[in-house]
Amino acid sequence: MKNFEDLYIKIKEVSPAHHFEFTDSPFWILITTILSHRTKDIVTDQAARTLYNRYHDSEGLEHADPADVKAIIKYVGFSNVKSLRIIEIARIINHDYGGKVPDTHDELVKLPGTGSKTANIVLSQGFNIPAIAVDTHVFRISNRIGLVHTKTPDETEEALKNIVPLKYQVEFNPVMVEFGKTICKPVSPKCNICPISNYCDYFNNKDATGAIKKIRKKAN
Ligand code: SF4
């Protein structure tokens, strides 16, 4: 069994969490996360900031001109669907939740286009409630290290809930995302500068690629 605390502290030292930059509002964290699906960070950030500056809150977004919203998010993946979806989410939040984003997983996943990952990002980043959001980085890194051996994000979330102490869950996703963007990249992970290579199954696996074997040899 790996010592989670040891390896997490090492990861965090090289990959401090980046939080949502322009807002800590649960509503805009929800909207930004929905825009981010299949979209580059820089594009998501630009679109979300412009929406925020134009419409300010769920009341403003509910009454937005759909054509204007669509134009603002035109470089976001699936912008046609998402422009209507975020207006609908604003309407539901205003009418069914008194203008406040719900703070439970059960209620959040009832919103259109809101799966478990998005719900958990809103809970952890918007409300500081411990929750494990499994995106592509969390899924890949947790399996590479050997923290979990899972096939789906849902399985991964369930497994990680038993491994990541509550006190680390709020920051777990942003820390792992940063680590996945800078060191444990999808292709050609930078194992030569990785502070947790000793703990990592992928790095220590006998079937590792030639490149990994070379790095491992150098390190020994
Ligand atoms: Fe990722 Fe390589 Fe570090 Fe393992 S040793 S966590 S594969 S960067």
Side-chain angles (χ1 to χ4, degrees):
M1 181 65 186
K2 295 173 198 296
N3 182 331
F4 173 83
E5 192 142 9
D6 263 13
L7 74 87
Y8 182 69
I9 287 168
K10 285 186 163 63
I11 290 174
K12 203 175 154 180
E13 271 171 16
V14 293
S15 313
H18 280 205
H19 294 286
F20 287 80
E21 281 174 14
F22 67 94
T23 176
D24 57 4
S25 139
F27 177 69
W28 288 105
I29 289 174
L30 170 62
I31 297 300
T32 304
T33 307
I34 285 175
L35 294 179
S36 73
H37 300 161
R38 306 272 183 137
T39 305
K40 287 187 173 159
D41 289 352
I42 190 168
V43 174
T44 302
D45 191 60
Q46 176 68 42
R49 274 173 199 267
T50 308
L51 285 176
Y52 171 74
N53 289 331
R54 180 84 54 102
Y55 296 114
H56 311 300
D57 54 22
S58 57
E59 192 69 34
L61 190 58
E62 177 189 351
H63 297 105
D65 174 356
D68 187 44
V69 173
K70 195 170 146 190
I72 290 172
I73 69 166
K74 67 182 173 188
Y75 297 117
V76 164
F78 305 103
S79 58
N80 285 350
V81 176
K82 286 179 184 171
S83 58
L84 299 177
R85 182 170 287 160
I86 60 177
I87 292 172
E88 175 63 1
I89 287 176
R91 190 192 67 73
I92 294 170
I93 285 173
N94 291 333
H95 291 256
D96 296 355
Y97 296 99
K100 289 197 162 63
V101 174
D103 62 359
T104 66
H105 188 276
D106 284 353
E107 292 301 315
L108 281 164
V109 295
K110 289 181 188 166
L111 297 170
T114 305
S116 191
K117 179 194 85 173
T118 300
N120 286 340
I121 285 180
V122 173
L123 290 175
S124 56
Q125 305 303 298
F127 293 105
N128 274 320
I129 293 172
I132 302 276
V134 177
D135 60 14
T136 173
H137 295 292
V138 171
F139 178 76
R140 179 184 71 257
I141 298 165
S142 302
N143 275 284
R144 272 183 180 167
I145 296 170
L147 275 178
V148 298
H149 300 91
T150 52
K151 299 253 181 296
T152 66
D154 284 349
E155 272 179 35
T156 312
E157 183 184 328
E158 279 312 306
L160 286 174
K161 271 187 204 166
N162 296 320
I163 294 170
V164 182
L166 287 178
K167 65 176 174 179
Y168 294 130
Q169 290 190 10
V170 166
E171 284 211 325
F172 183 70
N173 175 279
V175 166
M176 295 301 257
V177 168
E178 188 61 18
F179 187 58
K181 284 180 183 170
T182 54
I183 295 181
C184 193
K185 297 176 168 207
V187 179
S188 305
K190 296 181 175 175
C191 302
N192 55 329
I193 58 162
C194 178
I196 58 154
S197 55
N198 284 345
Y199 298 82
C200 177
D201 283 359
Y202 177 87
F203 184 74
N204 294 300
N205 192 305
K206 288 189 185 66
D207 302 327
T209 63
I212 298 280
K213 280 180 182 160
K214 254 191 201 166
I215 295 166
R216 203 161 59 202
K217 214 170 163 189
K218 256 191 190 170
N220 289 333

